[in-house]
Amino acid sequence: MTFPDATGQPCDCLIDCPRFLTAYAIPAFSPNPSAAARRDSDDYGRYISSVAWQTSPARLAELRAAGHRCRLCFASGTETRLEVHHRTYRNFRCELAEDLTTLCHDCHLHVTCMERARKYARSPVLPPNYVPVASPPPLFDYRLALEIA
């Protein structure tokens, strides 16, 4: 199963991630993304490639605090491409430096895959032919009786 990574490139959790992460990757039934999910993804992509994000004070402060090195493997910005990972989206577009972590491209892929694996591990695995059935309406509506009394 592939998902777009932080840069929009396909990320296959079972191939791109280190072997120890694959233990957490549980295949889940994933319907086509909703229009809202696609819109959010497009909005995120536009923001990450925007000048506002590239010149964000919080992003630049995190890069300086990390010494322009990956926080996991300590690769420098001269050795590899550095990216700033959102640890939380609570302050999306108004990020604080503590919401962000500097990672190299490879570590960013691995962290993103691990987070997705954790997210999907909590999702129920449904059979491919699963059709949700709405519960039937109640046989009696007691609200009217309560309103009259």
Side-chain angles (χ1 to χ4, degrees):
M1 188 176 292
T2 60
F3 305 96
D5 67 10
T7 63
Q9 299 300 313
C11 169
D12 187 335
C13 286
L14 301 177
I15 295 172
D16 292 337
C17 292
R19 291 188 202 285
F20 69 91
L21 293 179
T22 60
Y24 299 104
I26 298 174
F29 173 71
S30 177
N32 292 332
S34 67
R38 283 192 303 273
R39 185 184 62 245
D40 290 346
S41 177
D42 291 345
D43 184 46
Y44 176 81
R46 278 193 301 276
Y47 175 63
I48 293 302
S49 60
S50 72
V51 173
W53 168 247
Q54 297 299 320
T55 60
S56 164
R59 179 181 174 278
L60 298 174
E62 168 52 26
L63 283 166
R64 278 192 304 276
H68 294 275
R69 291 187 167 277
C70 175
R71 295 260 190 187
L72 294 179
C73 70
F74 306 107
S76 72
T78 58
E79 300 170 41
T80 185
R81 184 175 86 204
L82 293 178
E83 300 171 353
V84 180
H85 170 71
H86 282 84
R87 293 192 307 216
T88 179
Y89 291 97
R90 190 179 12 225
N91 301 316
F92 186 63
R93 292 184 182 267
C94 300
E95 294 87 357
L96 304 172
E98 52 269 15
D99 296 340
L100 307 170
T101 300
T102 302
L103 299 171
C104 69
H105 178 71
D106 290 339
C107 288
H108 197 185
L109 287 176
H110 298 318
V111 167
T112 302
C113 286
M114 183 176 67
E115 288 176 345
R116 284 194 182 112
R118 285 183 186 162
K119 174 184 172 185
Y120 289 109
R122 291 189 301 263
S123 300
V125 179
L126 302 173
N129 59 350
Y130 174 77
V131 177
V133 177
S135 58
L139 293 175
F140 302 100
D141 189 359
Y142 294 104
R143 289 178 298 176
L144 293 176
L146 294 175
E147 289 174 2
I148 294 173

